[in-house]
């Protein structure tokens, strides 16, 4: 599977940005898909994932501010980031793994190259 993220950039605190992840090389409907992020010097953090029934889980750190959506016809996963904070500054990665009922952070084995989001105060 290949994952290609885009849409990152620099934004001021309180602003918004939308990330895209185009999935190729594997049937989109057969995958667990989600988003991770990693700040400089920090550990990779799972922030959202899409379960088999279509429900979406979010990490507490982004709940209520970030929204995952997808366009199956375009094999594309999106992440809308709203009300951004400086602590959201990180490289954001799209992630994939074999489809399972619950696509938690242990479900993922492939990541894209990432797209940088930088939030300034």
């Amino acid at each position: 599977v290949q994952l290609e993220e885009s849409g990152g950039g620099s934004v001021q605190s309180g602003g918004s940005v939308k990330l895209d992840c185009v999935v190729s090389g594997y049937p989109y409907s057969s995958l667990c898909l989600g988003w991770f992020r990693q700040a400089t010097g920090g550990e990779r953090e799972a922030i959202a994932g899409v379960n088999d029934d279509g429900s979406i889980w979010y990490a507490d750190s982004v709940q209520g501010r970030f929204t995952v959506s997808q366009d199956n016809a375009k094999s594309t996963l999106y992440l809308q980031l709203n009300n951004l904070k400086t602590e959201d500054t990180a490289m954001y990665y799209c992630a994939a793994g074999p489809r399972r009922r619950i696509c938690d952070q242990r479900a993922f084995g492939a990541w894209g190259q990432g797209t940088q989001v930088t939030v300034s105060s």
Side-chain angles (χ1 to χ4, degrees), residues 4-73:
E4 184 172 355
E5 305 95 336
S6 62
S10 297
V11 63
Q12 288 191 325
S13 179
S16 298
V17 68
K18 188 173 185 178
L19 308 182
D20 299 356
C21 172
V22 178
V23 181
S24 61
Y26 203 85
Y28 186 86
S29 61
S30 298
L31 293 169
C32 270
L33 292 168
W35 290 95
F36 284 67
R37 69 182 180 184
Q38 187 169 17
T40 302
E43 295 184 354
R44 187 172 290 182
E45 175 190 18
I47 58 173
V50 184
N51 295 320
D52 186 60
D53 64 356
S55 62
I56 300 169
W57 60 265
Y58 296 94
D60 290 344
S61 57
V62 306
Q63 179 76 48
R65 299 187 299 120
F66 292 8
T67 303
V68 171
S69 61
Q70 53 186 337
D71 185 334
N72 289 11

Side-chain angles (χ1 to χ4, degrees), residues 3 5 36 44 93-96 105 108-113:
L3 308 167
E5 305 95 336
F36 284 67
R44 187 172 290 182
Y93 299 90
C94 181
Q105 60 183 336
F108 303 105
W111 287 268
Q113 292 299 306

